[in-house]
Amino acid sequence: MTYTFVTLFPNLIEGYFKDSILKRAIEKNLLEINYLNPRDHSKNKHFKVDDTAVGGGAGMVMNPQPLFDALDDLKSKDEDVHIVFVTPVAKPFVQNDAKRLAKKSHIAFVSGRYEGIDERVIEKYADEVFSIGDYILTGGELASLVLCDAISRNKEGVLGNSESLEVESFETPLLEAPSFSKPQNYEGLSVPSEYLKGNHSKIRSLKLALSEAKTKFFRPEQLLKHKVTQRLS
Ligand code: ADE
């Protein structure tokens, strides 16, 4: 699977692939990472890529020309590329999107900087547009990385142990039950005794109860979804 990060600041992104799971996935040729800098496509003699907003308003907006040319170039090389824009003005990215997008052969993430991207670019090129949450980042690079990471771990072979995909939070409406490692007692704090007794059906029902408690506390609307799903099944 290929990712192309369309960004004015590839340095902000590169470091993330230099360690851990995604580094290994690149070494195993499961992932390939490319960068496309709109500045390299600017026809301005000073390679300018932004300007003040038409109609007024604070801040600079990324011009259409460098992005049109960069994205035309990308599409001419791979007509199957799936182009994703990240912006706070979009639907929230969720786990189902991560699973669905893991089936694509090539995804391009377009990151805006400054006050955003000229809307005509999004209108013309976006296959999908996502926000990663109700807050404003200084640019889209972190959001693009968040999507890339969440998508990649759903690709066969990227995670060492494919089982760890099965019972995660958001695979069901419930949040995941708490996990514990060794030792069983640490500084007077013990793991729940049921976890130690080896009765798997009891452990499963305790985990379900803990999942429900966590979900009720942190994400009550998700618990409601769980109850509806249970009633329907
Ligand atoms: N760019 C700036 N803020 C963002 C957000 N919350 N989600 C996606 N892209 C963004």
Side-chain angles (χ1 to χ4, degrees):
M1 175 174 201
T2 303
Y3 294 113
T4 299
F5 288 92
V6 182
T7 171
L8 295 169
F9 301 103
N11 284 341
L12 290 179
I13 293 175
E14 279 168 0
Y16 195 67
F17 299 102
K18 299 225 162 113
D19 225 326
S20 191
I21 292 173
L22 298 190
K23 176 188 179 190
R24 269 205 312 277
I26 293 166
E27 286 166 356
K28 287 199 267 177
N29 293 322
L30 295 169
L31 305 180
E32 180 187 318
I33 312 291
N34 297 319
Y35 299 93
L36 179 57
N37 192 331
R39 199 177 295 285
D40 297 337
H41 289 265
S42 173
K43 292 196 169 123
N44 177 278
K45 65 176 181 231
H46 303 295
F47 300 101
K48 218 163 111 62
V49 289
D50 62 334
D51 216 324
T52 51
V54 175
M60 305 292 272
V61 178
M62 287 176 72
N63 296 133
Q65 180 275 315
L67 281 163
F68 268 50
D69 287 6
L71 294 171
D72 281 341
D73 187 42
L74 184 66
K75 286 175 72 146
S76 74
K77 289 175 180 150
D78 181 0
E79 61 183 21
D80 291 330
V81 61
H82 191 74
I83 302 182
V84 171
F85 283 68
V86 283
T87 149
V89 188
K91 67 180 173 183
F93 179 77
V94 297
Q95 181 69 7
N96 261 345
D97 298 312
K99 288 170 81 167
R100 179 174 54 78
L101 291 172
K103 300 190 179 95
K104 301 283 180 198
S105 60
H106 184 179
I107 300 175
F109 296 111
V110 186
S111 303
R113 280 261 142 186
Y114 318 119
E115 275 308 297
I117 294 175
D118 187 304
E119 190 69 17
R120 289 167 291 184
V121 183
I122 302 172
E123 287 284 322
K124 182 163 158 91
Y125 293 96
D127 291 307
E128 293 189 68
V129 187
F130 288 112
S131 164
I132 62 159
D134 293 340
Y135 40 79
I136 314 289
L137 303 164
T138 56
E141 284 77 8
L142 267 180
S144 294
L145 270 178
V146 166
L147 265 60
C148 174
D149 186 284
I151 294 166
S152 300
R153 63 194 296 290
N154 287 287
K155 270 216 81 76
E156 182 79 39
V158 168
L159 292 183
N161 172 7
S162 61
E163 259 184 32
S164 52
L165 276 179
E166 292 301 317
V167 284
E168 290 178 317
S169 298
F170 308 115
E171 296 299 321
T172 76
L174 288 183
L175 300 185
E176 215 173 324
S179 310
F180 302 90
S181 76
K182 292 167 189 87
Q184 291 169 7
N185 273 290
Y186 184 70
E187 296 205 345
L189 301 170
S190 174
V191 314
S193 59
E194 214 61 73
Y195 275 48
L196 306 173
K197 293 183 192 152
N199 181 331
H200 291 289
S201 108
K202 281 201 170 162
I203 293 174
R204 251 197 318 278
S205 54
L206 175 62
K207 282 191 163 181
L208 179 61
L210 291 172
S211 276
E212 287 178 345
K214 286 245 178 204
T215 312
K216 187 174 178 187
F217 188 76
F218 289 116
R219 300 289 301 273
E221 82 290 356
Q222 288 281 120
L223 187 65
L224 219 63
K225 244 195 245 172
H226 167 65
K227 297 225 160 113
V228 172
T229 318
Q230 267 189 330
R231 223 168 292 143
L232 294 176
S233 66

